[in-house]
Amino acid sequence: PWPQGIYALFPSYNSNRPVELDRPAWNNPIVRGARIRTVWRNIEPEQDKFSWSYFDDAVALAERHGKTVGLSLAAGTFTPEWVYRSGAQRFNFTDTGRWRASKPETMPEPWDDAFLKQWGDTVRAMGHRYDAKSSVAYVVMGGMGKSIESFFVKTPEDIARFQSLGGTARWLEGAKRIVDLYAEAFPTTPFFYAMAWPSSRP
C-alpha cells in the first residue's frame, strides 16, 4: 500500500554524531511512522564497506511499535571522498541561503558517469537490503542535488558555470538515470523525488 498519514520528520544524521532514534513519535497513536535521513559518507565511508546500522535500528523500532519508516540517503555535498578518487567530476559551488552564511561546497555532477556508477551500486545495495520490507513504506531519491532535494546552484557565477555544462537539460539526463536506478533497486517500494529546480534560473 502507498504510504499515507502523518510521518514524523526526524533530524538528519549528517555529521559524525548519530541522531537519537528512540523518540516519543513511536508511541504517538496518530503518527503512522517516521522519515529517517542520513548521508552517503556515513553509510559507505569506504567503497563497498557499508554500515547500515542506523537504518536497521530505525526499521527495528518501527517494527516494534507497529509503524513504518521512509528512508532517504543523500549524496551531493555528503559524497565520500573515495567517489572522487574513482573518477567522479566535482562541481564546486557556493552554498548560500537566507538563514546561513555562504560557504564553498563541492558535489559530483549529477550526470557524471563515474558518479552514477558508484551511486548506482550504493542504491542497489540499499534496495537489496530494504526493498519489500513491510516496515519500509517509501524511499526518497538522492543524487540529484546538493542534499536530498534537487537544487544546488544559486549564485550568478555558479549558474553560469552550470549553464556552460548543459544546464537543466544536462541535469535532466542525470535525473532520469537516477530514477531508473531507483526503479531497478526498489521494484516493490514506492520512491519519491524531493522536487526543486536544480538552478534558481530553470
Side-chain angles (χ1 to χ4, degrees):
W2 285 86
Q4 55 184 306
I6 297 172
Y7 278 76
L9 182 64
F10 282 18
S12 180
Y13 170 28
N14 56 19
S15 66
N16 293 326
R17 184 178 181 180
V19 170
E20 175 57 54
L21 287 171
D22 194 4
R23 292 171 174 262
W26 299 115
N27 296 307
N28 189 325
I30 68 170
V31 173
R32 296 290 299 274
R35 165 89 170 275
I36 309 300
R37 302 178 290 167
T38 190
V39 297
W40 192 3
R41 68 187 180 205
N42 289 343
I43 291 290
E44 193 180 7
E46 297 180 49
Q47 187 171 8
D48 299 326
K49 294 183 178 180
F50 295 99
S51 176
W52 298 110
S53 59
Y54 186 67
F55 280 165
D56 286 350
D57 290 347
V59 167
L61 277 165
E63 291 172 347
R64 190 182 313 154
H65 292 277
K67 299 189 186 295
T68 58
V69 294
L71 303 178
S72 68
L73 181 62
T77 60
F78 304 104
T79 297
E81 282 298 314
W82 63 261
V83 177
Y84 300 110
R85 293 195 296 270
S86 71
Q89 295 299 304
R90 293 179 184 269
F91 186 95
N92 298 313
F93 65 101
T94 300
D95 189 14
T96 185
R98 183 179 299 177
W99 309 113
R100 60 184 179 275
S102 297
K103 63 176 181 177
E105 289 282 13
T106 192
M107 61 174 279
E109 297 173 350
W111 53 85
D112 179 72
D113 287 336
F115 158 69
L116 289 169
K117 179 184 182 304
Q118 302 299 346
W119 183 234
D121 289 346
T122 302
V123 171
R124 281 186 285 270
M126 184 178 172
H128 180 75
R129 195 173 188 90
Y130 299 110
D131 184 49
K133 265 193 168 296
S134 60
S135 53
V136 178
Y138 66 93
V139 172
V140 182
M141 291 185 288
M144 299 182 189
K146 73 182 185 70
S147 185
I148 204 66
E149 297 87 0
S150 57
F151 59 84
F152 64 99
V153 289
K154 294 182 177 180
T155 68
E157 296 80 11
D158 293 338
I159 292 168
R161 188 157 11 94
F162 174 62
Q163 296 292 357
S164 73
L165 293 171
T168 304
R170 190 74 189 279
W171 172 86
L172 188 59
E173 294 175 11
K176 288 179 177 179
R177 291 173 67 183
I178 290 170
V179 170
D180 288 344
L181 290 174
Y182 277 86
E184 174 191 347
F186 292 93
T188 63
T189 304
F191 53 92
F192 301 137
Y193 160 35
M195 188 182 298
W197 285 109
S199 165
S200 57
R201 295 180 187 174

